[in-house]
Amino acid sequence: MRKYLLIIVALLAMNFKTTAQTTHQNSGWLFLMNSTKFNDKWGMHFDFQVRTQDEWDGVRHVLIRPGITYFINKSSDVTLGYLYTPTFLRVAGAADNTFTEHRIWEQYIYKHKISSINVSHRVRLEQRFVEEQFSQRARYFLRFMVPLKKVDESFDEGFFAAVQNEVFLNVQNKDQVNGSLFDQNRAYGAAGYRFSPKVDVEVGYMNQSVNGRNNNTNNNIVQLALYTRF
């Protein structure tokens, strides 16, 4: 357990260039994710997100992310997917602007348990097509989900707590993004309820630290998430 906590601390320790200014924002994210198994080897991933502008002033992002999953075994799976997301920019003193990103992504997930704690590792590589620009980004995600009652084997119902962190790195054409290897970090803590082995609901707080070319952003996010598994 200690080594995973050290990983989180190391990821959180990554910070911005000290010369850049930081803009502070507040927003809300709605996150819906479904995982469906067709059989022992094949399944489907789908998530849908809506993210608000600063101070919850309308919609900033909509994300639609389907994928096809291959289950290597009970602990590991790989997914190939596509993402479509329009971004609606509102800047004071300027006309509203909208741009679209298309993304191909590949990921590997490994899950295991430490006592009654469920641990998930996810490595994702993204090929990002933003208007006429192309870049690649790597992401590493680590999540701990802790049932808030004694569990002998499987956790089928009840309250839980979750903590996670995800770091983003620009691995190709970083000059198209912010000129830096480090892109952003997302640290998150939540409380939730598992209604059945198929349905979780959670609400939590995320701190998103984004490394910009000239101006960094620190975003305080309230997230409502629904997870379904079929």
Side-chain angles (χ1 to χ4, degrees):
M1 181 67 177
R2 182 180 298 175
K3 67 179 181 180
Y4 297 111
L5 294 176
L6 290 175
I7 291 173
I8 290 181
V9 171
L11 295 176
L12 290 173
M14 298 185 69
N15 214 328
F16 301 134
K17 296 170 286 187
T18 57
T19 56
Q21 295 181 343
T22 299
T23 298
H24 296 274
Q25 296 183 351
N26 301 288
S27 62
W29 290 8
L30 173 65
F31 179 39
L32 310 175
M33 189 174 80
N34 170 256
S35 176
T36 299
K37 292 191 74 171
F38 302 138
N39 52 49
D40 289 341
K41 287 298 182 182
W42 293 98
M44 179 185 73
H45 169 98
F46 180 79
D47 72 72
F48 174 79
Q49 298 182 47
V50 178
R51 303 175 181 175
T52 73
Q53 305 275 352
D54 185 25
E55 301 299 335
W56 305 278
D57 184 22
V59 174
R60 181 180 178 87
H61 303 283
V62 175
L63 294 86
I64 302 171
R65 184 168 20 216
I68 296 295
T69 299
Y70 177 76
F71 296 95
I72 301 170
N73 51 44
K74 292 183 179 180
S75 301
S76 303
D77 61 75
V78 291
T79 301
L80 172 66
Y82 163 77
L83 176 138
Y84 166 79
T85 177
T87 297
F88 311 100
L89 292 178
R90 295 181 181 176
V91 180
D96 292 350
N97 186 28
T98 301
F99 66 86
T100 300
E101 178 177 350
H102 300 274
R103 192 182 301 172
I104 300 170
W105 55 276
E106 307 85 28
Q107 73 178 23
Y108 169 74
I109 291 179
Y110 174 66
K111 299 178 181 179
H112 62 98
K113 296 186 71 172
I114 302 175
S115 184
S116 62
I117 301 173
N118 294 284
V119 185
S120 299
H121 306 261
R122 184 181 73 201
V123 178
R124 180 180 289 176
L125 183 65
E126 301 173 324
Q127 294 79 50
R128 308 179 65 197
F129 302 85
V130 183
E131 300 298 325
E132 297 181 357
Q133 297 182 345
F134 171 77
S135 63
Q136 285 202 85
R137 184 169 68 182
R139 303 164 56 164
Y140 171 66
F141 168 96
L142 176 63
R143 175 180 168 96
F144 299 89
M145 195 272 279
V146 185
L148 297 183
K149 69 174 185 180
K150 186 176 180 180
V151 177
D152 294 327
E153 293 184 5
S154 62
F155 173 50
D156 295 334
E157 183 180 356
F159 289 99
F160 64 87
V163 60
Q164 67 190 48
N165 195 78
E166 186 171 19
V167 62
F168 297 62
L169 301 176
N170 297 310
V171 294
Q172 184 181 3
N173 294 340
K174 62 185 180 182
D175 289 341
Q176 305 253 0
V177 185
N178 60 15
S180 172
L181 173 66
F182 175 59
D183 182 72
Q184 63 177 277
N185 192 83
R186 297 178 184 175
Y188 176 73
Y193 189 83
R194 174 161 290 180
F195 291 91
S196 74
K198 296 183 177 181
V199 180
D200 293 349
V201 173
E202 69 180 37
V203 61
Y205 165 76
M206 179 183 294
N207 181 264
Q208 180 192 31
S209 300
V210 181
N211 187 11
R213 188 179 300 276
N214 300 308
N215 189 68
N216 300 326
T217 302
N218 188 276
N219 193 7
N220 299 298
I221 302 160
V222 176
Q223 177 171 280
L224 175 63
L226 170 67
Y227 300 89
T228 57
R229 298 168 291 273
F230 299 109

